Amino acid sequence: MSGLAQPRVRIPRQAKPGEVIEIRTLLEHPMESGIRAGREGAAARDMLTRLIVRRDGEVVFVAELGNGTSANPYHVFHLRMERTAELEFVWTDERGRSARATARVTVG
């Protein structure tokens, strides 16, 4: 991780073969569009652009983030697990910073 908050991922550690699991992610981030004016003028733009989730290196989920995304983006999605796998979650922002988390789900 370089420059972004530590992501939070809630995922079951075990699943049965073929089971669909629920994955929840949260990354604390202001998602400042640069449009809102404050006392000192517009705030500096600071936006996440993408969340990519890989299972054993294969992309299984992509979220393209933009101006309509709220602060502290929270994502919930489902994934069918056929075998034990390592999941990698990577958030990136417009400045090239990234945050990374991993989780292992044992199927059996």
Side-chain angles (χ1 to χ4, degrees):
M1 180 178 80
S2 84
L4 296 177
Q6 178 64 41
R8 289 187 256 171
V9 175
R10 182 171 291 228
I11 185 170
R13 297 293 176 210
Q14 296 183 339
K16 296 177 182 166
E19 183 178 356
V20 176
I21 62 169
E22 182 177 80
I23 300 170
R24 298 176 184 211
T25 69
L26 175 84
L27 180 63
E28 292 182 22
H29 193 279
M31 294 300 285
E32 184 54 61
S33 67
I35 298 170
R36 185 172 46 148
R39 282 191 224 174
E40 300 171 12
R45 185 172 171 93
D46 188 7
M47 299 285 295
L48 290 171
T49 56
R50 182 178 282 185
L51 164 61
I52 297 178
V53 181
R54 292 180 179 90
R55 176 176 47 198
D56 292 333
E58 177 188 354
V59 175
V60 293
F61 180 82
V62 176
E64 298 289 339
L65 310 174
N67 285 348
T69 306
S70 69
N72 306 322
Y74 174 71
H75 292 90
V76 177
F77 62 97
H78 297 87
L79 186 61
R80 183 176 308 280
M81 299 300 297
E82 298 295 342
R83 65 187 185 284
T84 297
E86 184 79 20
L87 294 163
E88 176 188 39
F89 304 82
V90 180
W91 290 259
T92 55
D93 74 0
E94 294 175 329
R95 299 177 187 177
R97 298 176 299 180
S98 64
R100 183 177 177 274
T102 60
R104 183 173 181 81
V105 179
T106 303
V107 175

